[in-house]
Amino acid sequence: MSTRASDLSLGEQVGAVRTGSVTAEDLATQVRRAIELREPELGAWVCLSSTTAEQARAVDRGLGSAPLAGLSVGVKDLIDVAGMPTRAGSTVTSPNAVGTDAACVSRLRSLGAIVQGKTVTTEFGYFTPGPTRNPHALDHTPGGSSSGSAAAVAAGTVPLALGTQTAGSLTRPASYCGAAGMVLAHGTTDMSGITGLSESLDSLGLLTRSVADLRFVHNVFGHGRSEVPASEPVTRGLVWNAGALHPVEPPMSALLAHVPALLEEIGVKAEPLDWDDHVQTLSEDHVTVMSYEAARARAHEFDEHAGALSAPIRDLLENGRRIAGTEYAAALTRRDRSRELLDAILVSAPIIVGPAALGPAPFGLSATGSPILSRPWQLLGLPVVVVPGARTSSGLPLGLQIVGLPGHEDRLLDVGEKLEVLLRELPEIAA
């Protein structure tokens, strides 16, 4: 077995541990070395676990046949990990270690995964950036708020990381950094032990190096096994170019021009999504819902530590307190009606393919980019798969997002896996 077993796909890593070609401890040690090598320039980690070797030895003793045996995972610092603090990217949170794992972390451990540490997030998952840099261009943003998780995975230092999404917190950094990402449908995952911002919007997410890896871990995480029965193939899909919601940048526009032909190549007839009015309203209502709920979810921090909060999160909470309950309720009503209409549309064309971000990662580290292209789908609570592979002529990644209905995640992953192969074969797109 190569000394770089950690560079293999997730399934191959698990297979190597199961067959004894490499021990979980050796695999975890390889990952830690890769993390330490890149971390001085990357800044993706808040803290690293001191018990990684101990965790790995436990896997070697008793979980060697587990579905995720020996896989290393990074955990976004909004998610509790026993023995480590959850600072949520803020100075106002407790520096003391928490006593128990979040439900999602406990689930991964039970499947044989090993926690390498906590990854950087923006303050309470909002806009204030942390120290993380984009692995493909250190002077460009990695996005937010799952910036540390996306950058660590895309840099090849850890094969799997947990993120969360409230607006575009996972899709945007996945697109900017060139990672595969998946936002799990709202309400399908136990969110206990996760510091939230908006109960109606907060969702768990996964980040890996490829959509094939994403499919592997999603199958195990959701179904307990690496293989699930094949779904009915997708033969029709909708292409969304962001329409009137927001103009995309020239490189992303050029990539979108390829999408219909790429879908046709994998057997999916492409048709345009004509839904601009709903998308615009959903985007606006997303802001209303997030602001209203955040003001209540983080009321303690605002009341006790307002002066120590960063300006973006403070403004969000202040705005949320000014939103009337009737305005909030109306936004939820419009959301529900739009969801009913979209459900009907997706019966015959079960996927929507569109831009995961406005363009490549912007230059500079003082902002995290716009989440606007994720807002409508996040308000609807839909699962999303981010497909990497395309690049600009300057080497910056461009990601596509595939949106569908809960219960049809395997279709999104199937199309995403095939689409990634074609995206990686595309010529570089002029920046």
Side-chain angles (χ1 to χ4, degrees), residues 70 76 98 108 130 207 215 227 235 266 280 384 425 428:
K76 182 178 180 177
V98 301
L108 288 174
L207 289 146
R215 180 200 286 267
E227 298 290 339
T235 58
I266 61 174
Q280 181 67 48
V384 177
E425 294 174 351
E428 293 178 338

Side-chain angles (χ1 to χ4, degrees), residues 24-263:
E25 185 173 7
D26 284 345
L27 189 58
T29 298
Q30 290 177 33
V31 173
R32 179 58 64 89
R33 287 173 181 160
I35 290 170
E36 291 174 343
L37 181 64
R38 290 296 304 272
E39 183 57 12
E41 65 176 11
L42 201 61
W45 298 84
V46 176
C47 54
L48 294 172
S49 173
S50 61
T51 66
T52 300
E54 180 183 335
Q55 295 176 63
R57 286 193 289 270
V59 170
D60 286 326
R61 289 193 301 269
L63 287 171
S65 62
L68 298 181
L71 289 184
S72 285
V73 59
V75 180
K76 182 178 180 177
D77 195 28
L78 293 175
I79 303 171
D80 288 349
V81 173
M84 306 180 82
T86 300
R87 299 308 305 271
S90 181
T91 61
V92 307
T93 50
S94 172
N96 298 326
V98 301
T100 57
D101 287 331
C104 55
V105 174
S106 178
R107 169 72 171 157
L108 288 174
R109 287 199 207 266
S110 73
L111 294 167
I114 296 163
V115 175
Q116 285 283 349
K118 304 292 288 289
T119 57
V120 170
T121 181
T122 57
E123 188 172 29
F124 291 109
Y126 200 51
F127 280 135
T128 305
T132 308
R133 297 169 179 265
N134 192 305
H136 299 284
L138 297 177
D139 52 359
H140 287 242
T141 179
S145 64
S146 302
S147 51
S149 288
V153 167
T157 62
V158 69
L160 168 64
L162 291 178
T164 62
Q165 178 151 299
T166 305
S169 304
L170 188 137
T171 52
R172 189 166 78 264
S175 182
Y176 285 171
C177 293
M182 184 171 189
V183 180
L184 304 183
H186 184 268
T188 61
T189 308
D190 188 342
M191 298 290 284
S192 59
I194 299 177
T195 301
L197 195 61
S198 172
E199 183 178 3
S200 297
L201 302 172
D202 295 334
S203 300
L204 186 68
L206 307 168
L207 289 146
T208 61
R209 293 182 291 214
S210 69
V211 179
D213 279 353
L214 203 58
R215 180 200 286 267
F216 178 86
V217 73
H218 177 260
N219 286 346
V220 173
F221 186 83
H223 304 286
R225 57 190 190 278
S226 58
E227 298 290 339
V228 299
S231 63
E232 184 178 345
V234 176
T235 58
R236 293 179 62 215
L238 301 170
V239 178
W240 177 59
N241 63 6
L245 182 59
H246 198 291
V248 298
E249 297 168 19
M252 183 59 77
S253 181
L255 174 59
L256 292 173
H258 289 283
V259 169
L262 295 178
L263 289 175

